[in-house]
Amino acid sequence: GANDGVVTRRRPGSTLKPFVYARYLEEGGTLADPIADLPTHLKTRRGSWSPENFDRRFHGPISVRESLAGSLNVPAVLVANVTGVPTLIEDLRALGMPMMERAEEDHGLGLALGNAEVSLLELAAAYATFGRGGRWRPASTTAMELAVSGEQERQVYSPEVAFLILDA
């Protein structure tokens, strides 16, 4: 009983990718846009970084939809590079993920691959945002708990973007 897996923060891995792509769509990108899943070398504050896909293969030019559906790492990092880590951090904070307390340079583009810590409860509330047409609300088990938390429901993504992420 000492370890509660619902509220304990852990690195979420690829589960943050839909939020990376949601930001991309909010900024005018489309699921049909081509993106390169090719060997990539990025300069970071800590040196050079070459992200790899889980299967250690590259799939060439693919669509954003295919990249999200396939949970590919390289395209997700490239999309995060386009939208910017500060913007992604703002979105994740708006989605009730306080793990964004550390400085941006601590996360960098690895945030697209889940290098920050989040609880299962926070992640579930964030995912529910897509099902609510882009509206986030804090996780609660009762109406009383929601009223006591003091957090207000808010629109994070447009209904169109929420639909597209669910569809992909």
Side-chain angles (χ1 to χ4, degrees):
N3 295 320
D4 188 342
V6 174
V7 295
T8 301
R9 290 200 172 102
R10 297 177 183 231
R11 290 183 179 214
S14 293
T15 61
L16 295 184
K17 288 177 185 167
F19 307 109
V20 172
Y21 289 103
R23 172 50 39 205
Y24 176 76
L25 297 176
E26 285 289 346
E27 293 183 5
T30 73
L31 290 175
D33 289 345
I35 191 161
D37 183 24
L38 300 168
T40 301
H41 308 286
L42 301 164
K43 290 184 180 181
T44 69
R45 294 179 185 204
R46 294 185 177 137
S48 181
W49 180 44
S50 300
E52 293 183 349
N53 292 315
F54 182 76
D55 64 4
R56 303 228 187 262
R57 295 182 11 207
F58 298 100
H59 305 271
I62 59 171
S63 70
V64 168
R65 177 186 290 276
E66 291 170 307
S67 171
L68 175 55
S71 190
L72 298 176
N73 292 342
V74 175
V77 169
L78 293 175
V79 168
N81 194 37
V82 168
T83 62
V85 173
T87 306
L88 180 56
I89 289 173
E90 284 178 32
D91 282 357
L92 295 174
R93 283 182 179 150
L95 291 162
M97 296 186 207
M99 87 294 201
M100 295 299 121
E101 295 163 354
R102 290 178 22 204
E104 173 192 340
E105 56 270 6
D106 286 348
H107 296 299
L109 291 171
L111 186 57
L113 307 182
N115 73 352
E117 295 180 342
V118 62
S119 76
L120 179 59
L121 195 58
E122 293 163 347
L123 193 58
Y127 264 85
T129 301
F130 295 124
R132 285 192 203 98
R135 290 193 63 76
W136 175 87
R137 81 170 75 134
S140 65
T141 55
T142 66
M144 177 64 89
E145 188 179 303
L146 186 59
V148 170
S149 79
E151 291 198 73
Q152 299 295 312
E153 191 171 292
R154 58 184 162 261
Q155 193 76 37
V156 178
Y157 302 116
S158 69
E160 296 81 11
V161 165
F163 173 83
L164 289 171
I165 292 296
L166 286 174
D167 186 59

